[in-house]
Amino acid sequence: MPYTPHTEYDRTAMLSELNLSSTDELFREIPENLRVQKGSLSLPNALSEYEIEKHLFRLSRLNRSSFDLISFLGAGMYDRYIPSTVSAMISRGEFLTAYTPYQPEASQGSLQTIYEFQTMIAELFGTDLANASMYDGATSMAEAAIVAHGINGRNTIAVSDLIHPHHRQVLNTYCWAIGLKTEVVPSVNGVCKLPEVGDQFACIVVGHPNFLGNLEDLSAVREWCNASGSQMIVSTDPIACALLKPPGEFGADFVVGEGQCLGVAMGLGGPAVGLFGCKQEHIRRIPGRIVGKTKEVHGDQEGYVMTLRTREQDIRREKATSNICTNEALMALANTVYLCAVGKNGIKQVAEASLRNSRYLQSKLEAIGMKKVDSSRYFCEFAVDLGKNAAPIVDRMLERGFLAGLALGEYYPARENQLLVATTEKRNKEEIDQYVSELAAEVGR
Amino acid sequence: MNQEFAGIKKRVPSPKLVFEKSSPGRVGCNLPSITTPEVDLNQELGETRSELHLPELSELEVVRHFTNLSHINYGIETGFYPLGSCTMKYNPKINERVAGLSGFTQLHPMQPVSTYPGAIEVMVQVQEFLAELTGFDAISLQPVAGAHGEMTCLMLMKAYHAAKGQGSRRIILVPDSAHGTNPASAARCGYEVKAVPTDANGNSDVAALKGILDGLGSEIAGLMLTNPSTLGLFETQIEEICQLIHNIGGLVFCDGANMNAMVGTTRPGDHGFDCMHLNLHKTFSTPHGGGGPGCGAIGVKQELVPFLPSPIVCRNSNGMAQLDFERPESIGRVSPYFGQFLMEVRALAYLLSYGKEHIHLISECAVLNANYVQEKLKKVLPPAFDRPCTHECVLTAEKYKKEFGVRALDISKRLIDYGFHPPTNYFPLIVPEAMMIEPTETECKETLDKFCEALILICEEASVQPDLLHQAPTSQIVGRLDETLAVKQLNVRWKPST
């Protein structure tokens, strides 16, 4: 085995140092009845590197990816262009194979990139600060809700029904386990209809853009939170934040989101990366790692360390702000490289291209009588009414070479005829024209 | 210092932040051009943002920035990384190649299920492999990190007790040597935590456990136990412990952080555990990435299967891999999709490279290496317990603290000057001046010898020149950093000068 270097000679020498004659004796403390006979497990046979590559290549070819299909599917994960610099930088062994930077002197590379990450996410979100990342957009949101409960002691989490349905399911699981209630806030015209002001709500969670791509009235949400004494949590899309007035500037206490769109492969959903920003006043309550700038003890050189460590599980144990330990550092690094590579102007271009493509798509669809369902403002994704059940259309559009979008009926039964379509900067006019004509043929327009 | 180890101080200026390298108008990526008509952004979006302070660099500047930062970062590929409890083994390159195949990377998690049978097959193959290795009836790959897997297992326990009308069980037992994530995960599930002490041999104190169970049995939901323990010792009475917990109606969770000691040699499912988590990023060689992504599969016995996160990935009666969403008793989703899919691909490549024939080599060589290091160091750094260790050894530097005012951390920092990453310090909490060394199976004898030699030299230095250790490291771009100052003068982001 190439990964286990001991030769017979090494093994014998090491065993003799231990006064043992066989490796079996190393396990003498394990009761005999609990030991496995070598080679007796019912497992596949070992493969050579070439055979492994062939096996996995063949499995990969059974899938139809966004290289095979033209994608208009978004719904929280986006088919965006990943610059070649991103994969090159995150593949560097010094980053890829490092542990969490517990030894700062030997980890300044990771630590500085995290400080840069925190800066860029806080900037995009318009928040005072951001942490060093969470698992994904869903758990980031659930963690924010739990922090909100810790701030005001209230037990009900109000969550818009236009938060990603899977994210709401994760929130429900987290809340059930820790003993909190969730209350779903209904929507009208594709945006959240704020509930009556009430002192039972720890927080309200809204999407901006929401699951249907629409933009919420965040000023109204802020006013509602002021009146209710609740925390304001906004789940956002960092690409949209390149153009929009960011949620933090509307006074959101917590801004969370999925960072996959910033240079991370969709990868069937993982690894993704959770973004988490908040107001300064909450910093001692938040989950996850935070990197701060400091100086040498015996010198003037500046450097970076993980800070406010007493929030974390390895120190505070059951009183920690969260149980999170390993986060998504490598994906956060991918976000950092992405944001440096596209830069200030590139991210605006990506956002504007996505928006313009969606407006063009909307106009082409309207020309064949397929209307955007809600009249609310939106970023680059919207629900369109096909006039018939959307789910079978999605399946049939595969044969025409398209991932047509998400049929909404599964999640919102009243929207059975609606298709959620998204355009990223990867789509172009020609593809959109082709998509609309194929969709028209499929639906019979 | 021995010349062979002499490190050269990295005399590079403190690297600038990327924001300080920015020049208005530079672009670092050749993006797709926009082909659709212009629109009025303000009209479309309502309020737009006024400023956006992101860097503007050329592509080469971006590449140099991160390449130079990588040079002041230590990874497994830089050198020996004996960080106890973290299993810093080699991350094979073939794993990266297959995980980069576009048929895996370019899959949207909400595209029709019919379009990714190959991905589902990957997940099922990983599950089948892990189930057989651990002795559990079913595996879920949905948890995305170790702590997430622990928490998911506790959620399963909670659902299990609730289904039996025993939702009032409010206590989770956790040994005093446990990882901090154990009590923190229990708190996340609304449980109270009660500690189980360790006995004089480094095992869980069974007599004390019995005492706790006698008094509180009906209120106890379960026990979280790391096996081998965080002391690097196999719990020799594991079957009895599990039986005791089962007798009072509780369940036993195995913290799988130390699975590397058991791969192919012994199976937690056979020990009596009801569920466990695995760290694919430790035991099964997916890279740590500087703090993630983790990948935290869980294994469960039949009684917990109904509660597993939905959907589950399984084979149908024809052997076809499929997704099952019909899970009425499921706790729901713990993450939005299928867990860390691309990490699962890496783990499968790794498992297949060992296969049935060689899989036991993992624990065999890991345990051999740890015992070898423990033996070679025992004169200068005695083990906390004089027993054969498993995949890691826990040593104590108490003597140096008492005699020379040198702490475990000082010894560790000095190791950096000798070119090695330090071991884990001050954990487990019950060992004074703990140094927890986990060599892993991928290190050769020469590396271990050199590491031991360095530690022996450092222990000598501790007695004659303790200040060398107090001031270490001196070979890196920065010396020891002021963590108190970092908390006092919080600076967690760069801000543009106004």
Side-chain angles (χ1 to χ4, degrees):
Chain A
M1 269 309 297
Y3 314 147
T4 38
H6 297 329
T7 61
E8 215 31 63
Y9 179 81
D10 296 332
R11 197 182 294 256
T12 311
M14 292 171 79
L15 284 170
S16 88
E17 184 90 18
L18 295 165
N19 286 317
L20 300 179
S21 55
S22 84
T23 47
D24 287 346
E25 292 172 54
L26 291 165
F27 298 99
R28 59 193 178 278
E29 289 205 346
I30 302 179
E32 198 72 45
N33 62 312
L34 298 183
R35 291 201 227 159
V36 169
Q37 206 65 35
K38 268 177 219 177
S40 70
L41 293 175
S42 169
L43 294 170
N45 293 328
L47 300 183
S48 69
E49 186 171 317
Y50 166 63
E51 289 165 326
I52 291 168
E53 185 172 15
K54 192 167 67 176
H55 177 68
L56 282 157
F57 178 75
R58 285 182 178 168
L59 287 178
S60 81
R61 292 300 295 154
L62 298 177
N63 304 323
R64 298 181 75 190
S65 79
S66 66
F67 279 8
D68 309 310
L69 299 161
I70 299 173
S71 177
F72 288 80
L73 174 59
M77 299 292 264
Y78 296 89
D79 177 30
R80 296 202 174 278
Y81 184 68
I82 302 175
S84 47
T85 43
V86 175
S87 48
M89 293 299 100
I90 70 168
S91 303
R92 292 193 65 89
E94 301 90 333
F95 289 131
L96 182 72
T97 70
Y99 199 70
T100 302
Y102 285 119
Q103 299 290 340
E105 302 88 351
S107 314
Q108 284 299 301
S110 282
L111 286 161
Q112 182 175 324
T113 64
I114 296 171
Y115 182 85
E116 291 173 344
F117 169 79
Q118 290 173 180
T119 300
M120 291 194 255
I121 299 308
E123 174 68 20
L124 277 169
F125 283 2
T127 49
D128 295 329
L129 58 101
N131 75 5
S133 87
M134 306 298 289
Y135 301 142
D136 53 48
T139 57
S140 220
M141 177 185 79
E143 293 273 1
I146 292 171
V147 178
H149 154 71
I151 290 170
N152 54 30
R154 298 178 184 177
N155 292 330
T156 304
I157 310 298
V159 56
S160 159
D161 74 341
L162 297 181
I163 288 289
H164 192 304
H166 291 189
H167 292 205
R168 277 188 282 132
Q169 290 176 33
V170 172
L171 177 71
N172 285 342
T173 310
Y174 271 59
C175 286
W176 160 76
I178 203 168
L180 299 176
K181 277 192 306 211
T182 55
E183 190 174 310
V184 175
V185 176
S187 52
V188 175
N189 191 27
V191 289
C192 173
K193 183 178 182 299
L194 291 166
E196 296 252 334
V197 166
D199 62 8
Q200 72 273 38
F201 298 112
C203 59
I204 187 166
V205 188
V206 300
H208 182 75
N210 63 31
F211 188 62
L212 299 183
N214 296 326
L215 301 175
E216 297 283 355
D217 181 351
L218 293 187
S219 301
V221 176
R222 182 64 258 174
E223 277 170 33
W224 182 91
C225 286
N226 291 345
S228 296
S230 308
Q231 297 291 308
M232 174 173 170
I233 302 175
V234 178
S235 171
T236 192
D237 171 353
I239 295 287
C241 288
L243 297 178
L244 291 170
K245 176 176 167 182
E249 286 183 22
F250 285 95
D253 292 279
F254 299 92
V255 183
V256 295
E258 173 51 63
Q260 174 272 329
C261 55
L262 304 175
V264 178
M266 292 184 290
L268 201 65
V273 47
L275 308 178
F276 189 106
C278 70
K279 288 182 178 170
Q280 185 74 35
E281 65 198 74
H282 302 313
I283 190 168
R284 283 164 202 276
R285 292 180 177 275
I286 65 173
R289 289 175 178 136
I290 303 172
V291 166
K293 195 171 194 172
T294 186
K295 279 186 177 163
E296 287 176 325
V297 177
H298 303 295
D300 280 336
Q301 184 103 0
E302 289 183 325
Y304 303 89
V305 293
M306 292 198 290
T307 193
L308 293 177
R309 293 266 298 114
T310 54
R311 298 167 301 112
E312 293 188 55
Q313 46 73 32
D314 54 328
I315 296 178
R316 196 59 71 78
R317 300 177 78 84
E318 65 266 32
K319 301 221 161 40
T321 56
S322 166
N323 68 331
I324 191 168
C325 178
T326 295
N327 51 350
E328 301 294 316
L330 193 72
M331 279 44 241
L333 176 64
N335 289 172
T336 310
V337 179
Y338 176 85
L339 288 168
C340 291
V342 300
K344 171 183 171 172
N345 298 311
I347 192 173
K348 285 185 186 161
Q349 184 184 327
V350 166
E352 186 177 344
S354 308
L355 184 145
R356 273 162 64 171
N357 287 345
S358 66
R359 298 310 184 269
Y360 181 70
L361 172 62
Q362 184 190 356
S363 69
K364 297 295 281 186
L365 287 172
E366 276 174 6
I368 57 165
M370 294 182 187
K371 290 216 159 39
K372 177 176 185 292
V373 178
D374 314 295
S375 61
S376 311
R377 284 204 168 99
Y378 73 104
F379 172 51
C380 70
E381 185 162 21
F382 60 94
V384 61
D385 194 332
L386 302 185
K388 59 168 78 162
N389 190 352
I393 307 282
V394 170
D395 287 336
R396 288 203 299 274
M397 283 292 281
L398 289 170
E399 304 323 309
R400 295 175 184 262
F402 289 91
L403 273 176
L406 185 77
L408 285 169
E410 188 187 336
Y411 301 103
Y412 303 93
R415 295 179 182 269
E416 192 186 62
N417 292 351
Q418 298 175 21
L419 186 66
L420 184 64
V421 289
T423 52
T424 67
E425 78 285 4
K426 281 170 80 169
R427 298 290 71 84
N428 59 38
K429 185 170 174 295
E430 196 183 330
E431 287 170 342
I432 295 169
D433 288 340
Q434 196 191 342
Y435 170 74
V436 173
S437 88
E438 298 284 354
L439 190 64
E442 197 56 70
V443 177
R445 296 283 169 107
Chain B
M1 189 200 278
N2 182 313
Q3 270 312 303
E4 200 188 341
F5 291 111
I8 297 162
K9 168 127 176 128
K10 290 180 179 160
R11 292 195 186 283
V12 280
S14 190
K16 279 187 179 177
L17 286 166
V18 72
F19 310 102
E20 297 162 342
K21 298 177 177 175
S22 183
S23 245
R26 293 226 168 103
V27 288
C29 177
N30 187 3
L31 286 166
S33 44
I34 312 184
T35 54
T36 45
E38 227 171 291
V39 296
D40 180 338
L41 294 175
N42 285 311
Q43 195 187 316
E44 289 301 317
L45 296 173
E47 286 184 274
T48 53
R49 71 185 297 151
S50 44
E51 294 204 73
L52 180 62
H53 295 288
L54 288 178
E56 296 171 81
L57 280 79
S58 72
E59 187 167 324
L60 175 58
E61 287 174 301
V62 172
V63 170
R64 278 199 186 136
H65 178 74
F66 291 101
T67 302
N68 286 326
L69 286 177
S70 78
H71 291 162
I72 50 172
N73 216 55
Y74 192 102
I76 297 167
E77 293 179 7
T78 316
F80 186 41
Y81 216 124
L83 198 61
S85 211
C86 302
T87 315
M88 297 297 281
K89 65 171 70 178
Y90 172 58
N91 308 139
K93 295 298 178 190
I94 183 66
N95 298 2
E96 298 302 312
R97 183 183 286 181
V98 291
L101 291 165
S102 66
F104 295 135
T105 59
Q106 306 295 318
L107 296 178
H108 190 294
M110 295 175 88
Q111 68 186 59
V113 174
S114 64
T115 56
Y116 52 87
I120 300 176
E121 180 65 28
V122 165
M123 291 189 272
V124 170
Q125 289 187 9
V126 173
Q127 290 178 183
E128 288 170 345
F129 211 120
L130 296 179
E132 177 68 9
L133 263 187
T134 56
F136 285 100
D137 297 315
I139 299 283
S140 166
L141 298 171
Q142 208 182 90
V144 294
H148 203 223
E150 289 173 20
M151 185 175 76
T152 305
C153 282
L154 292 179
M155 287 172 173
L156 299 179
M157 283 192 191
K158 197 176 172 103
Y160 166 86
H161 289 307
K164 292 182 67 176
Q166 307 222 334
S168 61
R169 291 179 178 264
R170 62 183 170 88
I171 297 171
I172 287 284
L173 302 178
V174 178
D176 55 6
S177 58
H179 296 108
T181 48
N182 288 184
S185 296
R188 268 307 167 90
C189 294
Y191 284 120
E192 263 172 60
V193 175
K194 188 155 177 59
V196 180
T198 302
D199 72 14
N201 296 318
N203 290 319
S204 291
D205 188 331
V206 175
L209 177 65
K210 283 179 182 163
I212 295 170
L213 298 180
D214 281 346
L216 292 168
S218 63
E219 296 176 64
I220 290 169
L223 167 69
M224 302 179 85
L225 194 70
T226 310
N227 195 27
S229 70
T230 61
L231 294 160
L233 303 171
F234 192 84
E235 285 281 3
T236 49
Q237 288 160 285
I238 185 60
E239 291 172 284
E240 186 187 352
I241 292 171
C242 291
Q243 193 55 56
L244 286 169
I245 299 292
H246 290 155
N247 289 348
I248 56 105
L251 297 173
V252 196
F253 161 79
C254 177
D255 180 316
N258 294 343
M259 183 68 203
N260 216 44
M262 301 190 281
V263 178
T265 300
T266 183
R267 310 192 308 166
D270 298 339
H271 301 172
F273 287 106
D274 301 285
C275 52
M276 90 176 288
H277 93 280
L278 295 162
N279 291 315
L280 303 195
H281 56 295
K282 294 181 178 178
T283 318
F284 301 108
S285 85
T286 78
H288 283 73
C295 189
I298 57 169
V300 299
K301 290 279 178 63
Q302 200 58 46
E303 80 259 16
L304 291 174
V305 169
F307 310 106
L308 282 174
S310 173
I312 63 167
V313 184
C314 54
R315 291 199 191 280
N316 65 16
S317 49
N318 302 322
M320 288 289 289
Q322 60 166 25
L323 301 180
D324 180 1
F325 290 88
E326 297 302 316
R327 312 291 303 169
E329 291 190 276
S330 166
I331 58 167
R333 289 181 195 265
V334 294
S335 71
Y337 308 110
F338 304 99
Q340 310 280 40
F341 174 68
L342 295 178
M343 296 295 139
E344 295 154 16
V345 175
R346 287 173 171 88
L348 182 57
Y350 176 75
L351 290 164
L352 290 172
S353 70
Y354 279 95
K356 177 194 185 85
E357 303 93 315
H358 305 303
I359 198 83
H360 63 278
L361 283 176
I362 295 173
S363 58
E364 220 175 85
C365 297
V367 173
L368 175 61
N369 281 0
N371 277 280
Y372 182 73
V373 167
Q374 174 170 285
E375 179 67 25
K376 294 207 66 151
L377 292 175
K378 81 177 177 198
K379 284 201 184 112
V380 293
L381 292 165
F385 296 91
D386 190 17
R387 278 172 56 181
C389 65
T390 55
H391 66 305
E392 64 194 1
C393 54
V394 178
L395 315 179
T396 171
E398 204 178 8
K399 171 172 107 175
Y400 301 91
K401 184 185 172 192
K402 283 189 179 145
E403 293 177 24
F404 311 109
V406 167
R407 303 205 53 187
L409 185 73
D410 300 319
I411 296 174
S412 279
K413 294 296 188 193
R414 187 64 177 149
L415 266 172
I416 297 175
D417 287 335
Y418 280 76
F420 298 105
H421 194 280
T424 297
N425 295 132
Y426 308 126
F427 184 76
L429 307 172
I430 56 170
V431 174
E433 299 303 308
M435 299 187 74
M436 184 195 239
I437 300 172
E438 181 180 6
T440 83
E441 72 281 10
T442 58
E443 298 296 337
C444 63
K445 179 172 175 292
E446 289 83 350
T447 302
L448 303 181
D449 286 339
K450 213 166 163 185
F451 171 75
C452 293
E453 195 188 326
L455 259 179
I456 292 166
L457 282 169
I458 291 170
C459 289
E460 262 175 53
E461 289 177 349
S463 60
V464 292
Q465 286 176 282
D467 267 358
L468 264 184
L469 279 70
H470 290 138
Q471 277 156 25
T474 54
S475 58
Q476 301 299 301
I477 183 160
V478 288
R480 278 198 218 181
L481 291 165
D482 191 339
E483 299 190 6
T484 316
L485 181 74
V487 173
K488 260 196 239 157
Q489 298 180 6
L490 272 179
N491 173 348
V492 301
R493 65 172 290 193
W494 172 85
K495 286 197 177 108
S497 51
T498 44

